[in-house]
């Protein structure tokens, strides 16, 4: 048992070390500022500017959680506070099925539904012409993908809130909506933050579906209707063809390291914020 | 004397079932005004359901069916047109486990006032102080009104809940085994408060603790398996019980 447990604990550490060693070559050949803060991505010329990828990842993740967050919160509130038991029983398997659909299927669905929708319906509203392979298409697909995860966690969290609390608040003359707004959401806040946090972690690392609809152009996106090229897509698209170009494999390892460290740092901060929120209840 | 006091709540032919379970059967009773009425009975006999049907918290249960009549001040609360929020505001609830709102101590007491539209800071301060004093908690919390309510001990939390309930100026206090999760000293504090408050409020206490009933009750409603076995003045109940089940319960033959 201790052996298996130590395997579990060692994996991320070993992973981090390997990635660091592999990507150190890039650090040695290029100044840090040039790696993180320039946008020129020309592997054959030896230019590896990660800024477009980092920004793409941040934007698409932010957009996905921005869309999925409120949808999940209101759905979870409805299911736990208003819905009849029967509806919850029907919804639970539906959510589980959504969570179980393979990522590539979401990608295909994105290509045949969301991309044309963006290109033919949404973009013309803003008088923009686009193929549809854009930040917004990626954000929508990603939002749909993380929805079942966030929703499931939120439902679990809202169920743990004792009914005495709503009963007590109702007895003060509060309406059902006031109970939800002032008490239930507030009480569940640490849980809601952690659910959104897990959604961010998932969205940040999601690869295939995003890669299929996001456009993959190594340029800093200027708006919702520009293509983006997130870090996971960069790795997945180029792994294999990197051998011929010097420093290319090291650069991709660097991309992986950035992903790894960002998720680590993000988890760390969401834990801290959850701790503070819990203490203030 | 009971016949001299006004009746606050009058219940007629009340039947409550949840799903297939028939929880309360043909309940007919009267709650006298400004007295402590204890609803007594072994666990699972429907005491809490009876209490919660009075402020319509039973509405929250799924699959609940209610028939019969409950009158508050002579008006049926189940006729559909009454304002449920207003009804509930008239009945302060004290639950088994204290359920402080996820806010600081001050706002726990001020919340009920705030949602009914009274938001002036000075007014709230005075009211909060007044009700915390009434619940005998003021001296313990006056220096930390803005710390989270959860930081209080469980006994203090229960007194905070009492203050919170009193702050909306109810006519009744419904207490559902209010001392069952408290230590003896905190329990006594709550009991003493209730004894003092009965001059201003009609109080209904649910309990399965005979000794507590003996200490605080003016009037007793004894429930067993969803039916009222006996209802009378406390002195008569304890000294001169009529029903065999009551006698057995008082002997401690079952619980």
């Amino acid at each position: 048992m201790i052996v298996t447990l130590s395997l579990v604990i060692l994996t991320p550490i070993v992973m981090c070390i390997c990635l660091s060693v592999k990507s150190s070559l890039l650090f040695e050949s290029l100044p840090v500022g040039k790696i993180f803060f320039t946008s020129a991505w020309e592997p054959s010329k030896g230019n590896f500017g990660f800024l477009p990828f980092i920004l793409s990842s941040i934007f698409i993740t932010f957009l996905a959680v921005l869309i999925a967050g409120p949808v999940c919160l209101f759905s979870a509130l409805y299911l736990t506070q208003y819905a009849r038991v029967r509806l919850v029983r029907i919804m639970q398997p539906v959510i589980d099925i959504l969570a179980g659909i393979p990522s590539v299927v979401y990608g295909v669905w994105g290509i045949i539904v969301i991309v044309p929708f963006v290109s033919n319906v949404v973009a013309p509203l803003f008088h923009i012409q686009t193929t549809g392979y854009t930040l917004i298409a990626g954000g929508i697909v990603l939002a749909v993908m993380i929805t079942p995860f966030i929703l499931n966690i939120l439902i679990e969290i809202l169920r743990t809130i004792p009914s005495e609390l709503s009963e007590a608040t109702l007895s003060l003359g509060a309406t059902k909506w006031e109970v939800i707004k002032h008490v239930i959401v507030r009480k569940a806040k640490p849980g809601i933050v952690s659910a959104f946090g897990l959604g961010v972690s998932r969205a940040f690392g999601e690869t295939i579906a995003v890669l299929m609809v996001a456009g993959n152009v190594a340029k800093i996106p200027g708006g919702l209707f520009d293509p983006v090229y997130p870090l996971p897509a960069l790795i997945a698209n180029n792994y294999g063809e990197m051998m011929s170009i010097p420093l290319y494999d090291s650069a991709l390892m660097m991309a992986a390291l950035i992903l790894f460290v960002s998720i680590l740092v993000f988890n760390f901060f969401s834990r801290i914020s959850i701790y503070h929120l819990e203490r203030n209840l | 004397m009971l016949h001299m006091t006004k009746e606050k709540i009058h219940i007629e032919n009340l039947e409550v079932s949840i799903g297939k379970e028939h929880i309360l059967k043909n309940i007919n009773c009267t709650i006298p005004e400004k007295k402590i009425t204890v609803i007594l009975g072994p666990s699972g006999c429907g005491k809490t359901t009876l209490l919660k049907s009075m402020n319509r918290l039973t509405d929250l249960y799924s699959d609940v069916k209610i028939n019969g009549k409950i009158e508050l001040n002579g008006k049926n609360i189940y006729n559909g047109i009454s304002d449920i929020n207003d009804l509930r505001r008239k009945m302060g609830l004290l639950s088994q486990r204290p359920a402080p709102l996820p806010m600081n101590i001050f706002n726990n007491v001020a919340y009920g006032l705030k949602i009914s539209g009274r938001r002036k800071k000075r007014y709230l301060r005075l009211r909060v102080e007044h009700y915390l004093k009434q619940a005998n908690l003021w001296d313990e919390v006056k220096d930390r009104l803005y710390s989270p309510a959860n930081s209080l001990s469980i006994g203090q939390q229960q007194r905070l809940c009492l203050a919170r309930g009193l702050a909306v100026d109810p006519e009744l206090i419904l207490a559902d085994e209010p001392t069952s999760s408290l230590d003896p000293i905190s329990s006594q504090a709550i009991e003493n408060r209730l004894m003092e408050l009965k001059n201003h409020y009609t109080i209904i206490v649910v309990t399965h603790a005979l000794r507590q009933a003996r200490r605080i009750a003016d009037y007793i409603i004894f429930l067993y398996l969803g039916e009222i076995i006996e209802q009378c003045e406390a002195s008569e109940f304890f000294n001169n019980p009529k029903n065999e089940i009551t006698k057995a319960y008082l002997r401690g033959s079952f619980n």
Side-chain angles (χ1 to χ4, degrees), chain A residues 66-180:
Chain A
L66 203 68
I67 299 170
V71 172
C72 292
L73 184 58
F74 285 112
S75 309
L77 283 173
Y78 181 77
L79 282 174
T80 52
Q81 308 299 321
Y82 292 100
R84 287 173 165 274
V85 182
R86 198 142 44 112
L87 179 68
V88 181
R89 262 189 226 134
I90 297 169
M91 280 307 289
Q92 199 66 58
V94 174
I95 298 169
D96 291 340
I97 289 168
L98 277 178
I101 294 175
S103 170
V104 70
V105 176
Y106 276 106
V108 173
W109 170 77
I111 291 176
I112 57 177
V113 179
I114 298 299
V115 170
F117 175 71
V118 169
S119 156
N120 302 330
V121 181
V122 186
L125 288 179
F126 298 89
H127 306 291
I128 292 170
Q129 267 204 321
T130 165
T131 55
Y133 291 92
T134 52
L135 172 59
I136 189 167
I140 293 171
V141 171
L142 203 48
V144 175
M145 288 186 70
I146 59 175
T147 292
F149 285 89
I150 300 181
L151 191 53
N152 260 337
I153 302 167
L154 286 180
I155 290 173
E156 286 307 312
I157 288 160
L158 291 174
R159 277 201 186 132
T160 61
I161 292 176
S163 56
E164 283 105 332
L165 201 57
S166 350
E167 290 180 0
T169 319
L170 286 171
S171 302
L172 297 173
T175 60
K176 182 108 188 175
W177 175 238
E178 282 169 332
V179 173
I180 291 172

Side-chain angles (χ1 to χ4, degrees), chain A residues 84-85 162-176 178-179 182-184 186-187 278-281, chain B residues 52 55 57 60-62 85 88-89 91-93 95 97 99-103 111-112 115 148-150 164-165 168:
Chain A
R84 287 173 165 274
V85 182
S163 56
E164 283 105 332
L165 201 57
S166 350
E167 290 180 0
T169 319
L170 286 171
S171 302
L172 297 173
T175 60
K176 182 108 188 175
E178 282 169 332
V179 173
H182 298 146
V183 175
I184 291 179
R186 202 184 286 216
K187 181 86 184 170
E278 268 173 355
R279 228 182 28 174
N280 289 330
L281 282 182
Chain B
K52 287 185 178 171
N55 67 353
L57 278 178
L60 303 183
Y61 302 159
S62 51
N85 296 321
R88 287 182 181 142
R89 197 180 297 129
M91 307 194 190
L93 180 78
S95 55
R97 275 179 302 159
L101 306 177
M103 314 169 179
Y111 181 76
I115 55 171
N150 267 358
R164 176 183 72 187
V168 292

Side-chain angles (χ1 to χ4, degrees), chain B:
Chain B
M1 287 290 107
L2 185 66
H3 57 265
M4 287 171 67
T5 55
K6 234 177 95 187
E7 62 180 42
K8 189 74 185 168
I9 289 186
H10 181 74
I11 300 181
E12 244 178 71
N13 306 326
L14 181 73
E15 306 267 346
V16 179
S17 43
I18 297 173
K20 282 175 188 147
E21 233 179 313
H22 201 167
I23 309 276
L24 292 176
K25 297 160 201 159
N26 194 27
I27 301 291
N28 290 286
C29 63
T30 301
I31 311 279
E33 191 173 32
K34 292 183 183 166
K35 299 270 176 206
I36 297 183
T37 300
V38 167
I39 302 176
L40 187 69
S43 306
C45 67
K47 304 187 294 286
T48 299
T49 308
L50 178 57
L51 190 79
K52 287 185 178 171
S53 57
M54 294 184 203
N55 67 353
R56 297 193 60 169
L57 278 178
T58 38
D59 291 10
L60 303 183
Y61 302 159
S62 51
D63 251 7
V64 69
K65 257 199 229 97
I66 299 173
N67 281 313
K69 198 157 83 169
I70 299 183
E71 287 180 348
L72 172 70
N73 302 328
K75 269 194 217 143
N76 188 5
I77 63 166
Y78 278 98
N79 64 0
I81 46 168
S82 55
D83 178 353
I84 296 185
N85 296 321
D86 198 47
L87 168 76
R88 287 182 181 142
R89 197 180 297 129
K90 284 184 191 153
M91 307 194 190
L93 180 78
L94 209 52
S95 55
Q96 274 181 39
R97 275 179 302 159
L101 306 177
M103 314 169 179
N104 61 38
I105 295 168
F106 181 89
N107 279 331
N108 255 277
V109 184
Y111 181 76
L113 294 166
K114 280 185 181 170
I115 55 171
S116 57
R118 279 160 286 184
R119 295 182 164 273
K120 284 219 175 79
K121 278 226 169 84
R122 223 183 95 76
Y123 172 80
L124 288 178
R125 274 194 143 282
L126 287 171
R127 292 281 87 184
V128 168
E129 182 177 341
H130 173 75
Y131 290 112
L132 282 172
K133 277 179 178 160
Q134 266 207 334
N136 211 4
L137 188 63
W138 174 251
D139 289 333
E140 293 158 62
V141 299
K142 63 180 179 211
D143 298 324
R144 48 170 177 151
L145 285 175
Y146 298 99
S147 6
N150 267 358
S151 63
L152 296 172
S153 78
I154 206 113
Q156 290 172 325
Q157 284 183 22
Q158 192 66 310
R159 275 178 284 151
L160 179 68
C161 291
L162 181 62
R164 176 183 72 187
L166 294 177
V168 292
D169 200 17
E171 296 170 19
L172 288 97
I173 297 171
L174 309 182
D176 185 5
E177 302 192 17
T179 61
S180 63
S181 62
L182 306 185
D183 60 273
I185 293 172
S186 308
S187 302
Q188 207 187 356
I190 291 283
E191 281 180 18
N192 291 344
R193 283 292 106 184
L194 292 178
M195 299 288 277
E196 287 164 28
L197 289 169
K198 75 174 174 182
N199 297 320
H200 306 284
Y201 305 91
T202 303
I203 300 176
I204 305 173
V205 180
V206 158
T207 185
H208 59 251
L210 263 177
R211 268 184 287 176
Q212 184 170 51
R214 244 184 247 275
R215 282 194 296 267
I216 62 174
D218 295 311
Y219 190 73
I220 296 227
I221 294 172
F222 179 50
L223 267 185
Y224 183 62
L225 298 178
E227 287 177 89
I228 292 185
I229 303 297
E230 206 159 333
Q231 50 177 324
C232 55
E233 304 239 348
S235 51
E236 200 182 327
F237 181 83
F238 288 111
N239 300 327
N240 189 18
K242 296 194 178 56
N243 193 290
E244 285 308 312
I245 301 174
T246 316
K247 286 178 190 162
Y249 188 70
L250 288 174
R251 278 199 308 272
S253 306
F254 65 94
N255 201 1

